[in-house]
Amino acid sequence: MQVPTAAPAPLAPDALLVEVAWEVCNQVGGIYTVIRSKVPATVQGWDDRYCLLGPYFQQQAQSEFEPYDDYQLSTLSDPFAGAVREMRRLGYDVHLGVWLVTGRPRVVLINPYQAYPQLGQIKSDLWHHHGIPTPDHDDLLHQVEAFGHLAKIYLQILAAEVVPPQRIVAHFHEWMTGVAIPALRREQTPLHIVFTTHATLLGRYLAMNDPNFYEHLMLVDWEAEAKRFNIETAVRIERAAAHGSHVFTTVSELTVRECIYLLDRIPDAVLPNGLNIERFVALHEFQNLHQQYKAKIHEFVMAHFFQSYSFDLDKTLYLFTSGRYEYHNKGFDLTLEALARLNYRLQQSGLEGNIVMFFITKRPFHSINPQVLQSRAILDEVQETCEAIERQVGERLFYAAAGSTDHRLPDLDALVDDYWKLRYRRTLQSWKTTSLPPVITHNLVDDANDDILNFVRQANLVNNQHDRVKIVYHPDFVSPTSPLFGMEYGQFVRGCHLGVFPSYYEPWGYTPLECVARGVPAVTSDLSGFGDYVMQHVPQHEEKGIFVVQRQEKSFDESAEELTEMMWQFVLLNRRERIMQRNNVESNAEIFDWKNLRVYYDRAYTLALERN
Ligand code: UDP
């Protein structure tokens, strides 16, 4: 595979493209980012020959979907609208409208619940025709199978609307929509079907439960394992979709391996994930944003740490990792080990400066730790008091200056009322404490068995004053409504200096790519789809601020040492070098823009159009 350089010409002018995904107008997880960010580039290539198809969930659709009214629907002359009208005439609840995201694509949404009365038949057909059993009382499976049945009906009506030589490419993402594929093939619907699995279901389960996942992959008995994890139905659907599609694809060379061993089909193509890269006209603009959001992180750090002791924020680097709480898969274990080693190296080195490392993830918690919240509130009060004193001193100094005869600066202390002096002292007294700044910001439901906490306890990496690496574990995603950070995740990323994502299992992994898109350097691993792509297609990636930790065929200890060294080298950079590195990262980020990566999708569609 070569990294393409120019946007491809419009593809297959006689073909329509329907992209089917569970996360159209319905954010559940990562596929939403893939589909949504790809829209502008896809619309650019396919224009009004493109439509998305997904499930209709009223709650989610309300905020993202603008339906056409009956009049608008009746005036549209394209086959997508024609098929919706026909489906409605047959009595189905189906919506055509616009997805309110950049690119404003056309979408068809179908309410899965309307097929619930036919679930018995749908399940029986899946079993008798395709050997897919469905247990009772699994609502997600019921939704998925009902939607699959309705998606099949829509596509069949659409196929009947189309006049040859016009053809249809139907691209299904993930098993949840792929359930429609075997029946479409069985009924010989004239479609050119592409199926993309973003990871295999079984792969994810196995990786979470087997520390030597890659060594055992070749030996897995998929049927037995699917039963063991109680995911037999979904796994059988995934296999049926993989085998039923004309073109079967996945997102990285790593998931190719899973497809071969767990689904028994070699993918026809790898479709890497991109982003919509937003470039600023002036280079300094994104650097300014870094300053601005770093200042907000400073506020958090002051509230969290300075209650116990202070350090120089100007010589502090913010590192972070984020994502689902998969301690081993996301490489949290490796990151912690490397941080402990880095802490030791820094202590020995005599170098100045501190590292604050944030773990942003999701764990069940009762509440934010009241001590952390209170500290934040008191710091706000300290700030208010300082501002009041500043105003008072300012005004009085101005009068004193105007009336001055000797031109000497008056005693500033005397310009402050006793009330403010007292309040200042009292607020600080109530704030300062002798206890250590907590590692975790929240009260976890299961504090005793938490892997991150257990590591820091064991390694005594618990924010001692002498620790040069401080840890903040925030077991909730960052959001503007959170009282601790009060910012968007993207703003938080911009405010940090380095993202650290040395995953052990990561089919793709958007988090380092999201750093790069914002001009923030990032660490990834050769066991993540993104890292693997970078190694193969991005020469001199280290100069572009993308660092890949070797985890394939390396021991934990070797990888931990390599990561320690990477972070160490980063710490050694001076401010000027970091600014230059950020410029480099930002100016190379376009490699990952969908405008460039869309070509992989188009190639898969061309291949599908060649196959019947
Ligand atoms: N993320 C977020 N808020 C946070 C932390 C993470 O929205 O506070 C998002 C992040 O933007 C990324 C996703 O979580 O898109 C994690 O995706 P990734 O592909 O890295 O991992 P996956 O979820 O597929 O395992």
Side-chain angles (χ1 to χ4, degrees):
M1 272 194 304
Q2 287 294 311
V3 175
T5 48
L11 178 98
D14 67 333
L16 302 178
L17 171 62
V18 185
E19 208 166 3
V20 197
W22 194 252
E23 299 198 32
V24 174
C25 302
N26 173 39
Q27 182 162 21
V28 184
I31 311 304
Y32 180 87
T33 308
V34 180
I35 307 290
R36 179 181 163 165
S37 63
K38 192 168 66 63
V39 163
T42 313
V43 168
Q44 197 189 41
W46 291 82
D47 209 1
D48 56 2
R49 296 177 295 126
Y50 176 57
C51 182
L52 288 139
L53 173 62
Y56 180 82
F57 297 115
Q58 199 183 5
Q59 192 85 16
Q60 282 89 326
Q62 256 166 10
S63 55
E64 307 199 15
F65 176 66
E66 192 176 87
Y68 291 141
D69 60 29
D70 289 348
Y71 173 71
Q72 284 170 309
L73 185 59
S74 69
T75 58
L76 294 167
S77 59
D78 61 276
F80 301 122
V84 168
R85 282 194 296 266
E86 176 59 11
M87 222 171 145
R88 282 193 169 185
R89 198 186 61 76
L90 295 171
Y92 289 100
D93 176 18
V94 47
H95 309 258
L96 178 70
V98 173
W99 191 2
L100 300 173
V101 295
T102 316
R104 297 178 61 86
R106 202 102 56 86
V107 289
V108 172
L109 298 181
I110 309 178
N111 174 2
Y113 296 111
Q114 65 191 295
Y116 269 38
Q118 286 93 55
L119 262 179
Q121 188 60 46
I122 294 170
K123 288 160 81 165
S124 155
D125 287 350
L126 277 169
W127 171 242
H128 286 110
H129 299 152
H130 310 292
I132 299 171
T134 312
D136 293 333
H137 315 303
D138 185 325
D139 195 43
L140 177 64
L141 286 177
H142 287 171
Q143 286 176 22
V144 159
E145 292 180 0
F147 174 74
H149 172 73
L150 295 159
K152 182 196 80 172
I153 293 173
Y154 176 76
L155 289 166
Q156 288 179 329
I157 294 174
L158 181 68
E161 291 271 324
V162 161
V163 184
Q166 201 164 39
R167 298 168 297 166
I168 303 169
V169 176
H171 183 180
F172 297 84
H173 291 268
E174 299 288 70
W175 66 273
M176 284 128 106
T177 59
V179 64
I181 294 175
L184 284 165
R185 289 307 296 275
R186 184 174 176 274
E187 293 168 34
Q188 299 187 354
T189 310
L191 296 170
H192 300 265
I193 296 177
V194 179
F195 174 60
T196 298
T197 184
H198 291 253
T200 65
L201 254 174
L202 202 50
R204 210 176 258 293
Y205 274 84
L206 288 167
M208 274 195 288
N209 290 283
D210 181 353
N212 297 314
F213 168 67
Y214 293 102
E215 283 79 11
H216 298 155
L217 183 58
M218 277 167 281
L219 308 170
V220 171
D221 173 350
W222 70 266
E223 222 170 331
E225 295 294 341
K227 286 191 176 126
R228 179 160 79 97
F229 292 118
N230 206 14
I231 49 170
E232 187 188 354
T233 307
V235 169
R236 284 189 186 274
I237 291 174
E238 194 172 65
R239 289 177 66 89
H243 289 270
S245 53
H246 293 102
V247 171
F248 171 45
T249 79
T250 184
V251 299
S252 68
E253 297 294 343
L254 292 152
T255 46
V256 163
R257 267 198 270 174
E258 284 180 42
C259 292
I260 294 172
Y261 295 115
L262 303 178
L263 299 181
D264 290 313
R265 180 167 174 187
I266 301 172
D268 300 289
V270 171
L271 313 184
N273 286 329
L275 272 183
N276 221 339
I277 308 281
E278 185 194 348
R279 292 299 303 273
F280 292 97
V281 183
L283 198 58
H284 64 260
E285 267 185 78
F286 88 94
Q287 299 277 5
N288 288 346
L289 288 178
H290 169 68
Q291 301 296 335
Q292 190 183 324
Y293 296 125
K294 189 178 66 178
K296 288 207 80 167
I297 301 178
H298 279 340
E299 279 175 30
F300 168 85
V301 169
M302 275 195 277
H304 194 82
F305 288 93
F306 286 17
Q307 186 181 27
S308 312
Y309 51 77
S310 69
F311 46 89
D312 186 352
L313 291 183
D314 210 41
K315 296 198 175 85
T316 299
L317 294 178
Y318 295 138
L319 274 53
F320 80 104
T321 192
S322 68
R324 270 184 289 170
Y325 189 91
E326 287 177 15
Y327 185 71
H328 177 62
N329 286 351
K330 292 285 177 193
F332 292 172
D333 50 357
L334 194 78
T335 303
L336 283 164
E337 177 60 36
L339 288 168
R341 295 182 190 187
L342 181 68
N343 187 39
Y344 180 74
R345 274 209 211 182
L346 277 166
Q347 284 171 336
Q348 300 300 306
S349 69
L351 284 177
E352 282 186 303
N354 287 289
I355 307 284
V356 176
M357 171 75 198
F358 295 94
F359 285 82
I360 308 291
T361 181
K362 265 187 194 284
R363 288 300 272 163
F365 59 80
H366 294 298
S367 61
I368 297 181
N369 178 345
Q371 188 201 333
V372 172
L373 259 186
Q374 203 200 2
S375 173
R376 177 84 211 204
I378 301 178
L379 187 72
D380 287 344
E381 204 183 314
V382 172
Q383 192 175 15
E384 276 166 34
T385 309
C386 290
E387 281 165 5
I389 294 174
E390 184 188 315
R391 272 196 305 277
Q392 192 166 68
V393 171
E395 274 168 29
R396 290 179 178 173
L397 179 61
F398 178 55
Y399 286 122
S404 159
T405 49
D406 60 1
H407 304 173
R408 288 165 63 136
L409 192 65
D411 176 9
L412 294 181
D413 199 36
L415 300 182
V416 184
D417 282 349
D418 282 344
Y419 168 79
W420 286 114
K421 285 183 188 162
L422 189 67
R423 189 160 158 186
Y424 178 82
R425 205 175 317 142
R426 287 229 173 112
T427 319
L428 286 182
Q429 258 165 9
S430 66
W431 188 46
K432 294 289 176 186
T433 165
T434 49
S435 60
L436 292 178
V439 162
I440 182 154
T441 49
H442 293 54
N443 290 332
L444 285 188
V445 170
D446 190 4
D447 182 285
N449 293 308
D450 187 86
D451 286 323
I452 295 184
L453 292 179
N454 284 340
F455 182 96
V456 297
R457 284 173 194 136
Q458 246 169 26
N460 195 27
L461 198 59
V462 289
N463 296 338
N464 297 296
Q465 186 163 6
H466 59 261
D467 282 328
R468 305 289 297 285
V469 173
K470 321 281 186 200
I471 309 279
V472 176
Y473 172 15
H474 187 272
D476 195 10
F477 278 6
V478 171
S479 91
T481 50
S482 145
L484 297 182
F485 285 108
M487 59 209 296
E488 304 269 3
Y489 173 69
Q491 299 174 331
F492 174 80
V493 171
R494 280 196 192 277
C496 286
H497 294 94
L498 179 72
V500 185
F501 310 99
S503 301
Y504 175 78
Y505 175 80
E506 191 77 85
W508 178 256
Y510 256 114
T511 40
L513 177 45
E514 288 164 344
C515 285
V516 171
R518 296 182 171 99
V520 175
V523 175
T524 175
S525 84
D526 64 352
L527 286 180
S528 93
F530 172 69
D532 183 69
Y533 181 85
V534 165
M535 287 208 310
Q536 291 186 45
H537 301 289
V538 185
Q540 278 118 31
H541 47 83
E542 301 214 333
E543 282 170 26
K544 294 166 185 145
I546 309 173
F547 307 96
V548 187
V549 176
Q550 311 293 309
R551 300 207 61 176
Q552 288 189 33
E553 288 156 34
K554 296 274 180 198
S555 69
F556 181 85
D557 179 65
E558 287 168 323
S559 300
E561 201 49 37
E562 191 186 10
L563 178 57
T564 311
E565 182 60 27
M566 278 175 186
M567 294 196 285
W568 172 250
Q569 292 301 329
F570 186 78
V571 171
L572 293 183
L573 299 179
N574 61 33
R575 171 161 285 138
R576 220 189 126 62
E577 288 166 328
R578 286 199 306 271
I579 291 175
M580 273 164 34
Q581 187 182 58
R582 275 200 298 277
N583 283 343
N584 254 345
V585 174
E586 207 267 351
S587 58
N588 282 294
E590 269 187 335
I591 309 171
F592 305 105
D593 195 302
W594 277 121
K595 278 201 268 323
N596 294 318
L597 296 182
R598 199 197 87 203
V599 70
Y600 292 112
Y601 278 68
D602 287 346
R603 281 185 202 150
Y605 299 152
T606 308
L607 186 60
L609 286 167
E610 284 166 9
R611 293 183 179 172
N612 284 307

